[in-house]
Amino acid sequence: EPAILTRSLPGPRARSIGAIQLVAGLCMAPALWSRQTLTGCVGHELIGTPASALLMLAIVASGCALVLGVPRCSAIAPALAAGAAVLLLGAAAAGWASIGGTSCLDVGVDSPGVLLVVQTGGSLAVLVAAVALLYARDEFEPWGGAHGVIAASAAAATTLVIGVGFTLLIAVPAGFSGLSVILAVALPWAVCVGATGWLRRSPAIAVVACMAVQAIWLLVEFI
């Protein structure tokens, strides 16, 4: 059989993926350095991104590590960026849900709508690029086989149920939209936990690292 028929297609280069993550992270900086709650109009608060600056720094640091070719970072760096991107994408969805019922948003380059466009596009770019690199490096291999996938799926379902429960008990009485909090926190956390069952051990830990950072930030902020 000719060698050309058995040769696999070339995968994405780590430095190219790192450059995408670096540029996307820096482009999202204006949106993510903003306050955690954005004022859409008088008396109307919009849900922001918990630990936004730390998530942005995680993406930028991951991109730098790939661009510089830091040893043993080809799996951990994109997994860390993917975890941060999932959280940012969930928070962006929560932002869209918040402004959907608002008719008095300010118009300008720093308006919540414009910032959400940047955050949505940047997080999607990071997520797609990171997943492509993880796939090309054969990191999608369950660390515990079928048992690992089942355990991670069960943990993800538990995370979602607990998150929804806390949302109904805490966020809603405090005046926040239950749907927005679920999209910003509970659902992204469940996705990150569920993804760990499909990856090797090191990238699986890296995926949930940003989730742990966000959880600690929330505990410090609200307790």
Side-chain angles (χ1 to χ4, degrees):
E1 185 177 2
I4 191 173
L5 297 180
T6 60
R7 187 183 307 162
S8 60
L9 294 175
R13 294 181 180 273
R15 284 187 172 84
S16 300
I17 297 300
I20 293 174
Q21 294 180 3
L22 184 59
V23 171
L26 293 176
C27 288
M28 288 188 291
L32 300 181
W33 279 105
S34 60
R35 293 171 53 195
Q36 302 307 318
T37 54
L38 302 173
T39 302
C41 55
V42 178
H44 189 91
E45 295 291 330
L46 305 179
I47 296 294
T49 304
S52 58
L54 297 178
L55 296 178
M56 185 270 293
L57 290 176
I59 291 176
V60 171
S62 299
C64 289
L66 292 175
V67 170
L68 297 176
V70 178
R72 301 181 181 180
C73 283
S74 60
I76 295 177
L80 181 66
V86 168
L87 300 180
L88 292 175
L89 190 58
W96 288 117
S98 295
I99 68 175
T102 305
S103 59
C104 52
L105 290 175
D106 296 330
V107 178
V109 295
D110 59 345
S111 67
V114 174
L115 297 180
L116 285 176
V117 169
V118 176
Q119 182 174 340
T120 303
S123 57
L124 278 174
V126 171
L127 182 59
V128 171
V131 170
L133 183 57
L134 290 171
Y135 179 79
R137 296 299 176 91
D138 292 326
E139 297 296 337
F140 280 92
E141 180 178 330
W143 56 268
H147 293 90
V149 174
I150 294 174
S153 300
T158 303
T159 301
L160 181 60
V161 170
I162 293 176
V164 171
F166 272 106
T167 298
L168 297 178
L169 292 174
I170 299 175
V172 174
F176 290 107
S177 167
L179 175 61
S180 296
V181 177
I182 291 172
L183 291 174
V185 179
L187 185 58
W189 284 12
V191 171
C192 289
V193 172
T196 60
W198 298 90
L199 296 167
R200 294 179 187 268
R201 192 178 301 273
S202 295
I205 295 174
V207 164
V208 297
C210 288
M211 185 190 81
V213 170
Q214 195 178 68
I216 294 173
W217 185 93
L218 288 172
L219 287 173
V220 173
E221 182 74 12
F222 295 105
I223 293 182

